[in-house]
Amino acid sequence: MIAELTTNERQTALVILLALAVTGLAMAIAGQGDPFGVHGALVMVVAIAGVFTVISGYYAPEPSDSRLDSYYDTPTKFGIVVAMIWAVIAMFVGDWVAWLLAYPNLTFDAAWSSFGRLRPVHTSGVIFGFGGNALIATSFYVMQRTSRARLPDQLSPWFVLLGYNLFCIVAATGYLMGVTQSKEYAEPEWYADIWLVIVWVAYFVLYLRTLARRKEPHIYVANWYYLAFILVVAMLHIVNNLAVPISWGSAKSYSLFSGVQDAMTEWWYGHNAVAFFLTSGFLGMLYYYMPKRAGRPIYSYRMSIISFWGITFFYMWAGSHHLHYTALPQWVQSLGMTFSVMLLIPSWVSAGNALMTLNGAWNKVRDDAVLRFMMVAAVFYGLTTFEGSFMAIRPVNSLSHYTDWTVGHVHAGALGWVAMITFGAIYASVPWLWKRETMYSPRLVEVHFWLALAGTVIYVFAMWNSGIIQGLMWRTYNESGTLAYSFVDSLVAMHPYYIARAVGGVFFLLGTAIGLYNIWMTIRTAPRAASELAADRPVLAGAPALQAGE
Amino acid sequence: MALDHDILVWFSKSFGLFYLLALSLIVLVYAYWPANRKPFERAANAILHDDDDKPYRG
C-alpha cells in the first residue's frame, strides 16, 4: 500500500498522521477521566501506528508511471473487505439485541451490554460500517470506469477510507462507553462529527476531481446518485450536528436546537439519511452493476434522470412524517405526508426501470445468484417505498408509529434492498477486481442468497405481525372507555415474534458470514493466467474497442 | 424583520409550490429534449463496452 504512494504522498501522509497524533494527545490530556480522553488515546495510537506503517515503506521505490495505465483499485478492494467485516460484526450485534428483546436478562448486568448502548453499535455498524464502506468502495470503482479516468492521486482515497473507518470506530466504541448525543442515526458526539466533516469534504473533492478528468462527455447517471449521496449527506450531517460542547475536554455537547425544532431537524436529517445514504448511493450502485452484470443497458435512461430529480426534490420534505401527532404544526406534518406519498412515483420509476432492464434476461436471473441478488433488491426497493409512502399517511401512521411495524419496514429496506444490492455489487466486483474468472464458490453465493432472502422474509413477517398486533392492542378500549390492554400485555404478545425475528436475523447473519468467507477464499485462490481473462485486459493499439461476446 | 410563522407558511405555500412545478418542468424538458437522446443512449451503452478496463491517458 505505501509502495503505491509517490514520495510526495508519503510525506503528506506523515504530516497528516503526525497532526492526528498531536490532536489525539491533546484530546487525551484535556479529557482525562472522560471518555473523550479515551478516544484521544485511541486516535493517538492509531495515528502512531500509521506513522510507523508509512516509515516502514518510506524507502520503497516510487511507483512507476505505468501505474497510470490502470485504474487505482487497491482502495476499492480494501473497502469491500472492510465493509464485509463490518457487516458480520454489526449484524452479530443486531441479532444479539434481537435476542435481548426476547430475553432481557442477556445483558449480564453490564452497562456496556445494555440495549441502549448495543443498538447504536448495530445501527451505525450496518449503516455506516457496512453500507458506508461499500458505497465509498464501489463509488471509487464506478467513477473511474464511467469517467474512464484514474483517481487523481493515490493518497486521498486512503485518507477518505481510513479516516471514515476511524470515525466508525470512534462512534462504536463511544456508544459502549455511553457516549451519545441521543439523536437517532446521528449518535456520535461533536468531535467525531467534526472529523467526519473533514473526511467527507475530502471525499467530495476527490469525486469532483475525478469527474473533472473524465473522458466521457456525459456524466453517467450512477455518478449523479453517488454525488447526491455525498453532497446531501454532508449538508444533513453538518446542520443536524450543530452543537456546543460543554468544554474542550468533554465528550458531552448540547444541540443548537431545542424542543420541536430539534425534533424536526433530527428527522429532516433522519429521513434524508434514508434517502441519500440508504437510497441514492445504492441506486448509483444499481445503475452501474445491474446493467453491467445483465449485459444490457438500463431500460430507460430518461426515466433514471426523471426519478433522480424526483427523489432529490421530494425526499427533502418528507422527514416530518416521523412527527405525526406531535407538537409539530399540522401543516408541516401534512407537507411531509404529501411529499412521502408523491415519492412513490420516482421510487417506482426506479424500481420499474431496474426490473424492465432485466426483462429479456430472466434466464440470467435464474442461473446467476449475483444478478438475482440485484433483482430481489429492486423488488424490495419497490415494496418498501410503497410501504413507506403508505405508513406516512397520518391515519395509517397512528396505527403503525412506535410499533414494530416501523422496525419491519426499516429492515425490509435495509436487508431486502440495501444489503441485497450491496451483496450483488460486491459479488460482481470481487472477481473483476482480483482478476478471477468467478467467485471461489458460486454455490456458496447461491447459499448466501437463499439464507439472506429467507432471513429477510422471516424478519419482516414477524415484525408486521407483531407491529400490527401491538398497534391494535394499544388502541383497543373496553366498555368503560379505558384501555383494554396494559403495555405489559402487549409485550407478552410480542414474545413469539421477537424470537422469530431473532431467528430470521441468524439466517441473514449466517449468509453474510458465508459471503465474507467466499470473498476471502476468492482473494486467496491463485489467479488464472492473465491471458484467459480477455474481458479485463487492456486492448492492444488498433484493436476494436468492442470485442466479441459483449 | 422577524420571520414569523405566518410569513413562513405563506412563503412555503406560494413560492414552494411554484418552484417545484418549475423544477419538474425543467427536468422533463431536459430528459425529453430531442438533442439529448443520442448522448443518453451513448452513456447507457458506454458502460457495457469498456472491455479494455483501463483509464484514458491524456
Side-chain angles (χ1 to χ4, degrees), chain A residues 221 224-225 276 279-280 283 286-287 298 300-315 342-354 381, chain B residues 27-28 31-32:
Chain A
V221 74
W224 302 23
Y225 283 94
F276 291 93
T279 302
S280 180
L283 281 171
L286 178 101
Y287 279 121
I298 192 78
S300 165
Y301 197 81
R302 285 166 172 166
M303 268 163 69
S304 71
I305 292 173
I306 293 170
S307 59
F308 171 82
W309 290 109
I311 284 171
T312 312
F313 294 156
F314 292 171
Y315 256 117
M342 293 196 301
L343 256 175
L344 189 59
I345 301 164
S347 303
W348 272 27
V349 169
S350 297
N353 207 355
Y381 178 63
Chain B
V27 170
L28 283 173
Y32 284 93

Side-chain angles (χ1 to χ4, degrees), chain A residues 311-323:
Chain A
I311 284 171
T312 312
F313 294 156
F314 292 171
Y315 256 117
M316 267 303 152
W317 306 97
S320 53
H321 71 225
H322 288 258
L323 298 165

